[in-house]
Each structure stands twice: as structure tokens, then as C-alpha cells.
Amino acid sequence: MGANLRRLRWVCTSGCADAIKCKSLMLNFLQPVLETALDAVVAMAPDGTVAAWNAVAEQVFGWTEAEVLGRPLADLIIPQQHREAHRAGLERYNRTGRETILNRRIEITAVDRAGREFPVELSITTAPDRLLFIGFLRDITARREAEARLQRQAREAQLLFEVASLATSTNSFEDALRACLNAICDLTGWPLGHALLLIGTELVSMSVWHDDTKGAADALREATEQIRFTSGVGLPGMVLAAGEPIWIADAAEASQFPRKGLGLGAAFGFPLKSEGRIIAVLEFFTYDRVRPDPELMLVVRTLGEQVGRVLERKRTEDHQELLLHELNHRVKNMLSIVQSVAMQTFKGAAPREAIRTFETRLGALAAAHDLLIAENWEAASLQEIVSKAGLGCGADRDRIRTEGPELRLHARAAVSLSLALHELCTNAVKYGALSTEGGRIHIAWHIVHDGTRLCLVWQEQGGPAVQPPQARGFGSRMIERALAAELGGKVELHFLPEGLRCVIEAPLPAEDR
């Protein structure tokens, strides 16, 4: 095309004074471009009329060349809202030569013969002596649709991730419902969303709403509260009856949409299910009439499945909690029976002190169970274990100093350590640092060996002078052997003159490292 235009300039400057003839010559030279260009090519005269129109332009805009030649271009392909600006720009260029869009590639909209407005990519250049404006136009509808589809898919993936993440982290069914409403309204651009919970055979309106235009849903909310949504009644009832998403393209004309007269155009709803049963229905509204969107229905179905899992998990956790409390109750009952049997067994045959020791050991075991039940029998805080062991043997809290990082021990280790600490504390009250007024106990723990092992040190101070025992009693054997075995580590008792020192070292669970 550049060679043709250079040749036109030579022709026009070699003595031709007739603008009409020059224009005709230009069109003749442009003919190969018009015939071979893959884009729509439109030539416009300075007065705004069509001077040339290729075959691709006929396909794109629906007008034949014979129908458009000599007619104002603005009346043919320029949208109504842009025509005045087009005429003003053309007049300014003819008068001043000042241009704003020549020799650039821009994206605008055009209209075809049927009045359809669609996006086009446009570049405009001028022929020599400004006798013609030549525009190259490409319909980019498919490209825009592909870009919009990619953006929507990316947004869908993001929203699915956000709702799925919330579904795995929250125990609040209402929070999950609200997040789902917000996500779908964000995805669709629809302003109103609402949740209804299935109670018995009726869908009951919840206080969970999405309202983009604060207050716009007031009339809808009031109308919703007046209706009993049972199977088949209104949009929620239709969803309940079908067990599938329902779309209403024109709410004003739908016979099964009782909330008419509120200016709503379209609506859709879908069920939330848990273990295959409907537990709630989400419904959405917009003020425009909108045809069903099958792709959107697939997305909202997936979102609904994620929210339904929140309730499934909550029910499972509630059931586990009930079982744990029932187990704890039975264990404590069993300990009471053991205590009663022990008392009957020891009656008349054992000193009262032995019975009291046995009872306190059972009490320490029960306290450890209570602590673990509060933590769903998964793990317990080391600080809590130490505190309960001291209080359980009647020690003054001010005389036991503790220090160490926050750590959690698994259930088996927690019970064993609780019993061992109780034995140490009981021994300190009877014979050690807590048996005298000025005695103190320091319990400290830290992590050693590159964070893989726990070291806990029990140190008594200010009590009676300590001498190593001639024989090891039950308590000592339990601490040194049983505790070491349970923890998978080692326990050392040092009977130092200034006070008993117990060093416990054990591997940390992998999750605590």
C-alpha cells in the first residue's frame, strides 16, 4: 500500500489539477489493497461520505458497496452516541489539519446493518493531499469474548479457592454462607443474594443477605418474611422440590414467583447439600431480565458443595465431642468404681495414708483426662499439665515457679507426665522442699538438639537435706522406668543434698518441631 500511495503522490504532483480525477486515480491504485486485504477497508472522502468499500467490509457490516458509496459513513457504521464527535473531529481536521487518531491502532465499537454494536480494532491513514481517509477495521468480538472468558475462569478459580479455604478453616455455617453469597454476587454482578435454612419441611429465611445497594433489599426481605416456602412454593420451594438449581429469566412473568412488584428482573437459586440431603437454599436476584447461564450453574453447584462440607464437618466434630465427653464420663465412673473397690479392699488391712495416696493418684489421672478432653484428646499444653499437677497435690501456687516455651504434648505423653509430676509434687509435700515453710520448686523446660527433643528439669530448693534412699519405692520406679518408656526418652533422679533434681528428656512430636 505504501508503494501505491507514493506513486499516487507522484501522479498528483505532475500537473493534475482536477481533485475528482485525482481521487479516481487513487481509488484505482487502491483497488488491489481493497481486494486482497484481510480486514474491512473503508475509504472516506473529506466530506465524510464513503468512497470505497471492500468485500470484507460487506461481510462485516452487511452493506454492499453499491448501497454505501456516496453516503455519510457516520450513518452506516458509527454508533449513535459517537456520531456527533465523529463529525466534529472531521470538521476540525479539514479546517486545521490537527489530528488525534490518525496512524494509530485503537479499539472502539461499530454497528452493522442490523444495528448490532460490536468491538472493532481501527487504524486510519490518509492518502496524499488528504483526498481520502483510509480505515482498516477488524471485528474483535471473538477476541474480546475469549479474554472475558479467561478473566471469568480466573475469577471463578479464585472464588472457588477462597470459599474452599474458608470451608476448611471455619466452623461457622453462617460465615460460610455469607462468603458464598458474596462470591457469587461478585462473579455475576447481581446485587442481591439470600440464604434460607431447611427446618423440617420448610425453608426459613436467615439473616444472611448480600445487598450491594444498602437498603435496596428491604422490600424483598419484608416480602420474603411473609411467605412459607415449602416444597414447590416460590423459587426456594421449586429448588427444594427439584433438588437442582432453578433459573427464572423473567421474574415479572413467572407464575411461580410470588414476590412480584418489586422491580426484579431475573432470579436463580440452588440447593446446598450435606450427605446428599438439602440443608439450605441460596437465591440471587437482579433487576434485568437475564437468560440462563449453564456455565454459572456449574460453578455455583461447586461452591454449594464446598459450603455443605462446613456443616458436614461441624456435625462430625459435634458428634466426636459428644463421644469424647461420654468416654470421659465413663472413664471417671470407672475410676470411682476402682476407688471404691480399693477402699473396700484396703479396709482394715492397710493404713489410711496408703488409701489417701492411692486416691490422689487416681485424682491426678482424672485431672489429666479432663485436660485432654478440653483439647479433643489430641494434645495438651505443657504449662497446663505442670499447673494442674502442682494444684492437685495441694501445693501453694506461689511456691512453684515455672518457665519455658509454649508446647503441646500428645495424649499419651500428657497422661504419663501428669502422673509423674503428681508423684514428684506429692513427694515434695511429704518429704521434700514443700514440707518446710521456706522450700521452693523450680520447673523449667526447653528444647534441645536442634529442636528435636524436650528437656524438663524439676529442681527442689530450701527443703530438708536430701539423702539417697536405700530402696526405690513405687513412685520412683514409675517416674524412672514407666515415664521413660511412655515418652520414648530418659528420666534421671538426682538426690542432691540441696534438693531433689529430676531431669526428663524426650523426643518432641514432629508437628511441634
Side-chain angles (χ1 to χ4, degrees):
M1 178 179 169
N4 283 336
L5 292 180
R6 286 193 296 274
R7 188 175 179 189
L8 284 170
R9 177 167 293 282
W10 178 84
V11 171
C12 292
T13 56
S14 7
C16 177
D18 191 332
I20 297 178
K21 289 183 178 180
C22 282
K23 188 185 299 183
S24 178
L25 284 171
M26 290 180 196
L27 293 175
N28 287 335
F29 279 104
L30 282 174
Q31 197 61 39
V33 176
L34 296 172
E35 292 176 354
T36 59
L38 298 178
D39 296 333
V41 181
V42 177
M44 184 185 72
D47 63 357
T49 59
V50 177
W53 187 272
N54 73 346
V56 179
E58 291 183 343
Q59 297 171 5
V60 172
F61 297 106
W63 301 95
T64 65
E65 183 182 29
E67 291 174 315
V68 300
L69 290 179
R71 292 180 60 183
L73 182 66
D75 296 343
L76 298 170
I77 68 171
I78 297 178
Q80 182 72 39
Q81 67 271 23
H82 300 313
R83 289 177 184 175
E84 189 56 40
H86 164 78
R87 295 188 182 100
L90 181 61
E91 187 276 331
R92 182 178 61 251
Y93 180 79
N94 288 332
R95 179 168 43 83
T96 66
R98 187 157 48 90
E99 52 83 17
T100 57
I101 64 171
L102 292 180
N103 302 312
R104 291 193 298 119
R105 196 184 302 274
I106 62 173
E107 292 184 3
I108 58 172
T109 58
V111 292
D112 60 14
R113 185 169 189 163
R116 177 182 69 94
E117 187 170 347
F118 58 96
V120 295
E121 186 180 78
L122 168 67
S123 59
I124 304 174
T125 188
T126 58
D129 298 329
R130 302 179 185 174
L131 295 179
L132 285 177
F133 299 92
I134 304 165
F136 294 82
L137 301 98
R138 178 176 300 173
D139 184 352
I140 57 173
T141 301
R143 189 179 80 193
R144 285 279 185 86
E145 290 176 348
E147 290 172 351
R149 192 177 304 113
L150 287 174
Q151 291 176 353
R152 174 167 166 169
Q153 289 172 350
R155 185 62 182 139
E156 288 173 357
Q158 179 184 358
L159 292 173
L160 284 170
F161 174 77
E162 291 174 357
V163 173
S165 298
L166 179 66
T168 58
S169 62
T170 184
N171 285 327
S172 171
F173 188 46
E174 286 198 5
D175 286 350
L177 286 176
R178 190 169 286 106
C180 191
L181 288 178
N182 294 340
I184 293 174
C185 287
D186 184 9
L187 180 65
T188 61
W190 288 29
L192 302 173
H194 176 225
L196 301 98
L197 185 67
L198 183 62
I199 299 178
T201 59
E202 182 180 348
L203 286 163
V204 179
S205 176
M206 300 180 68
S207 60
V208 181
W209 286 80
H210 176 95
D211 184 358
D212 274 350
T213 52
K214 304 300 181 185
D218 289 348
L220 177 61
R221 186 182 288 108
E222 184 177 346
T224 300
E225 297 292 342
Q226 305 303 316
I227 302 172
R228 292 186 66 245
F229 292 105
T230 54
S231 181
V233 177
L235 175 60
M238 294 165 63
V239 174
L240 179 60
E244 297 290 337
I246 298 291
W247 188 293
I248 297 176
D250 187 349
E253 298 298 326
S255 58
Q256 290 180 288
F257 191 79
R259 290 169 286 182
K260 289 185 173 65
L262 301 176
L264 300 174
F268 75 87
F270 67 94
L272 297 182
K273 297 182 179 181
S274 173
E275 299 176 346
R277 295 182 293 105
I278 294 177
I279 56 175
V281 168
L282 300 189
E283 55 179 0
F284 300 86
F285 309 90
T286 186
Y287 298 108
D288 303 314
R289 287 179 294 181
V290 182
R291 289 183 298 178
D293 184 343
E295 292 184 6
L296 176 62
M297 289 295 95
L298 291 175
V299 174
V300 300
R301 188 193 300 269
T302 304
L303 287 170
E305 291 173 355
Q306 295 295 336
V307 176
R309 288 175 185 169
V310 176
L311 187 60
E312 288 182 13
R313 191 178 70 252
K314 186 69 169 63
R315 286 175 172 171
T316 300
E317 290 175 353
D318 289 346
H319 183 61
Q320 288 177 339
E321 184 177 357
L322 178 63
L323 290 178
L324 281 173
H325 282 288
E326 177 64 19
L327 175 61
N328 186 49
H329 177 69
R330 294 191 180 189
V331 167
K332 293 176 78 173
N333 284 344
M334 182 60 68
L335 290 174
S336 297
I337 294 173
V338 171
Q339 185 177 23
S340 177
V341 170
M343 291 184 67
Q344 292 295 324
T345 303
F346 294 150
K347 186 176 182 180
R352 188 168 185 80
E353 186 65 25
I355 298 174
R356 187 178 300 111
T357 300
F358 183 78
E359 289 177 343
T360 56
R361 285 169 178 166
L362 286 179
L365 185 59
H369 274 259
D370 283 336
L371 182 59
L372 287 167
I373 285 296
E375 300 289 344
N376 289 326
W377 202 262
E378 294 175 355
S381 164
L382 180 53
Q383 180 67 55
E384 287 286 329
I385 293 172
V386 172
S387 297
K388 283 186 176 294
L391 295 176
C393 64
D396 188 347
R397 186 190 299 270
D398 295 335
R399 300 176 66 184
I400 300 178
R401 184 164 64 91
T402 64
E403 62 175 312
E406 178 60 35
L407 287 176
R408 299 176 68 77
L409 300 181
H410 56 77
R412 187 174 174 181
V415 171
S416 299
L417 186 60
S418 180
L419 287 173
L421 290 174
H422 177 78
E423 287 294 327
L424 288 169
C425 192
T426 301
N427 185 73
V429 170
K430 293 169 63 176
Y431 313 113
L434 299 182
S435 67
T436 60
E437 192 169 326
R440 296 285 186 274
I441 296 176
H442 181 211
I443 307 173
W445 60 91
H446 59 281
I447 300 173
V448 296
H449 297 294
D450 299 325
T452 61
R453 299 179 72 82
L454 165 70
C455 180
L456 183 145
V457 178
W458 169 288
Q459 180 67 61
E460 298 184 21
Q461 299 171 337
V466 176
Q467 293 184 358
Q470 297 300 317
R472 297 296 175 96
F474 171 79
S476 298
R477 291 197 305 274
M478 185 193 74
I479 293 172
E480 287 184 307
R481 299 175 187 176
L483 179 60
E486 288 291 335
L487 294 178
K490 62 180 181 178
V491 179
E492 296 176 354
L493 289 175
H494 302 280
F495 296 91
L496 306 176
E498 63 271 20
L500 177 67
R501 177 183 177 87
C502 177
V503 180
I504 301 170
E505 187 175 313
L508 281 172
E511 61 269 21
D512 291 332
R513 295 176 185 174

